[in-house]
Amino acid sequence: MLTNQLATKYAQAIYEIASEKAMLDNVEKQLKLVEATIAGHADLATLMYHPLVPAPAKKETIGRVFAGDLDGFVQNFLLLLIDKRREPALPAIIREYIRLANEARNIAEAEVYTAKELSAEQLAALAAKLSQVTGKNIVLKTTIDQELLGGVVVKIGDKLIDGSVARQLKALKAALLANQATAV
């Protein structure tokens, strides 16, 4: 709970700065670069997230690893997180920043689960339909889940649309069992 509150607070702060500077997209790219770089190097992740590593060592590492890749205020933001010992919340802060930036750009992320890979045409049609329903520009994040058997499951924010064959079979089974119980 505390991490979510911290993530919201810090994400809101960097979002407001990025918004004032009209740099929402650029800051998002920079934050994603930081996240991917840290996640992609186990030693760097250990150094950044370990509580016993001194702040000056973390700050020096940030300066060296991201030299020339980050705008000054983004780098200063990361250094502030280190000073406040909030670097473990960085992934949650980045997710929250992206959510805020997407909201400002009228973009919604839709998590799409299918039993097999969809064609480009199917993805475009799905995005268009979801855009029409939500009134937002839709960015699809697809995942293959063969347990669905067929159909599609879409999650947008806290809304879930389950059109999977697996769900339909479960509903049919429940209906048959309920019907059997009343017939006996």
Side-chain angles (χ1 to χ4, degrees):
M1 181 78 163
L2 184 60
T3 301
N4 288 342
Q5 291 172 339
L6 287 172
T8 301
K9 176 182 165 183
Y10 283 99
Q12 184 68 39
I14 194 155
Y15 165 78
E16 287 175 10
I17 295 169
S19 184
E20 286 173 14
K21 294 180 179 275
M23 295 178 64
L24 289 179
D25 295 342
N26 199 15
V27 170
E28 181 176 338
K29 287 176 189 168
Q30 291 176 39
L31 291 174
K32 284 181 175 179
L33 170 70
V34 169
E35 183 177 38
T37 302
I38 292 173
H41 298 86
D43 292 343
L44 180 58
T46 300
L47 179 123
M48 288 305 300
Y49 299 136
H50 199 287
L52 298 179
V53 175
K58 292 179 180 184
K59 290 171 138 184
E60 182 181 341
T61 302
I62 288 290
R64 286 185 181 182
V65 171
F66 299 107
D69 291 332
L70 304 178
D71 284 310
F73 77 93
V74 175
Q75 186 161 346
N76 288 339
F77 176 76
L78 295 174
L79 299 178
L80 174 71
L81 289 179
I82 292 168
D83 284 339
K84 299 288 186 180
R85 311 294 281 159
R86 303 292 190 222
E87 60 275 17
L90 184 60
I93 292 168
I94 293 170
R95 279 191 307 277
E96 181 64 14
Y97 174 85
I98 292 169
R99 188 194 67 74
L100 289 168
N102 281 345
E103 191 174 293
R105 295 179 294 220
N106 197 34
I107 294 174
E109 279 190 0
E111 297 176 37
V112 177
Y113 301 90
T114 58
K116 64 177 189 162
E117 193 169 337
L118 298 178
S119 70
E121 295 83 24
Q122 290 170 319
L123 289 171
L126 179 59
K129 184 64 175 176
L130 292 172
S131 181
Q132 182 183 20
V133 170
T134 63
K136 295 183 180 280
N137 297 318
I138 299 294
V139 174
L140 299 177
K141 293 175 78 176
T142 59
T143 304
I144 305 298
D145 181 358
Q146 294 178 345
E147 290 184 15
L148 296 178
L149 304 177
V152 65
V153 175
V154 178
K155 183 178 179 192
I156 302 175
D158 60 353
K159 292 181 176 53
L160 181 71
I161 303 166
D162 190 344
S164 67
V165 172
R167 184 201 49 85
Q168 293 171 7
L169 288 173
K170 284 180 188 174
L172 180 61
K173 179 181 177 183
L176 289 173
L177 289 173
N179 210 10
Q180 181 183 16
T182 58
V184 173

